Amino acid sequence: MDYGYAGKVAVVTGGSSGIGLASVQTLLESGAKVALCARTESRLNDVASVLIRDFGKENVLSSAFSVLDPEAVNGFAAQVKERFGRCDLLVNNAGQGRQSTFATTSDDDWRAEYELKLFSQIHPVRAFLPMLREAKGSIVVVNSLLAYQPEPHMVCTSSARAGVQNLVKSLSIELAPDIRVNSILIGMVGSGQWLRRFAEREDQSQSKAEWYGALAKNKGIPLGRLGDPSEAASAIAFLGSPGASYITGAHLEVSGGLARHI
Ligand code: NDP
């Protein structure tokens, strides 16, 4: 689907895998030039080579660093400005979940989780703000359903995710009317972290479809399966696009119906 990104520039953090990579591909297919980052240089380079092959060198910029390093994020923004001259969409996607109960979460774990969840938003927003303002662009935050529907075995992540959702709302007000800020709430999407858990499954004879199906049944996902990264990418591309021009401070659930609240 073409979301209307011709002539636009998008930045995707955590673009080397899963939802981030699917978003990069969807945005490139819709005509955007895309800058992506991730920490692991080898994987990022492999992904960037394929993207350059498929979409052209002039449309892809990649850089390896952690979004928790403010100097590196500022340097990336400068690279995007120099190479593409603008930024119309920032997708804050980089991150991962932490499985722990209250009893098994140490103070250091709490600090690390809050640092990851909040500064993975704060640093990129601050760095790309001038370009986003100039372009009257938008920000899409990839968050989790856990923000509204906490799970006891992910206590720390759930709590930090609620903070992110609160920040999204504040930003949508402070940055209006120039910049729209929205989020998607992921339930369970079969990306890197689930593929890693699949690889470590107890019964190695189970196929991916069987394992994902059993997981979805166990979790009570009404649509009966995990989401595909491309399905999260569609929601991201829509929220960032001109088609969502009157939407800000909103969230879109991409959970196959797993959300229980109304
Ligand atoms: P993946 O593990 O497939 O991808 C995560 C991406 O983020 C990778 O490119 C990774 O590369 C990058 N990344 C992680 N930490 C950093 C960092 N500090 N700085 C820069 N890049 C980083 O995961 P998903 O696609 O599943 O996850 C995408 C987002 O969606 C995450 O924020 C995740 O928490 C969230 N989410 C996903 C759910 C799901 O079911 N899949 C559920 C709820 C939320 P590298 O490791 O090389 O840095």
Side-chain angles (χ1 to χ4, degrees), residues 14-20 37-40 43 65-68 93-97 116-117 142-144 161 186-194 196:
S16 66
S17 166
I19 295 166
C37 71
R39 293 165 303 178
T40 313
R43 180 166 64 167
F65 62 88
S66 170
V67 289
L68 301 185
N93 162 78
Q96 60 193 33
L116 175 62
K117 293 296 177 291
V142 179
N143 203 2
S144 166
R161 294 289 196 188
I186 305 289
M188 293 169 78
V189 164
S191 54
Q193 51 188 312
W194 288 109
R196 282 191 293 277

Side-chain angles (χ1 to χ4, degrees), residues 20 57 67 99 109 121 130-131 160 174 208 220 246 254:
K57 196 174 170 24
V67 289
Q99 295 209 10
D109 293 339
Q121 304 300 326
M131 278 189 277
E174 185 172 332
K208 196 169 91 179
Y246 201 54
V254 185

Side-chain angles (χ1 to χ4, degrees), residues 174-192:
E174 185 172 332
L175 304 185
D178 291 340
I179 302 169
R180 296 184 300 104
V181 188
N182 294 293
S183 62
I184 63 162
L185 302 182
I186 305 289
M188 293 169 78
V189 164
S191 54

Side-chain angles (χ1 to χ4, degrees), residues 56-67:
K57 196 174 170 24
E58 67 284 7
N59 293 319
V60 179
L61 170 67
S62 67
S63 183
F65 62 88
S66 170
V67 289

Side-chain angles (χ1 to χ4, degrees), residues 164-224:
V164 170
Q165 213 47 29
N166 193 289
L167 175 63
V168 167
K169 200 62 164 178
S170 295
L171 284 173
S172 72
I173 296 164
E174 185 172 332
L175 304 185
D178 291 340
I179 302 169
R180 296 184 300 104
V181 188
N182 294 293
S183 62
I184 63 162
L185 302 182
I186 305 289
M188 293 169 78
V189 164
S191 54
Q193 51 188 312
W194 288 109
L195 286 172
R196 282 191 293 277
R197 287 173 205 160
F198 166 66
E200 291 158 12
R201 68 200 178 285
E202 246 172 53
D203 177 2
Q204 289 283 325
S205 70
Q206 256 183 327
S207 69
K208 196 169 91 179
E210 286 168 344
W211 192 78
Y212 276 7
L215 195 58
K217 193 171 175 201
N218 182 261
K219 293 283 179 185
I221 298 176
L223 291 189

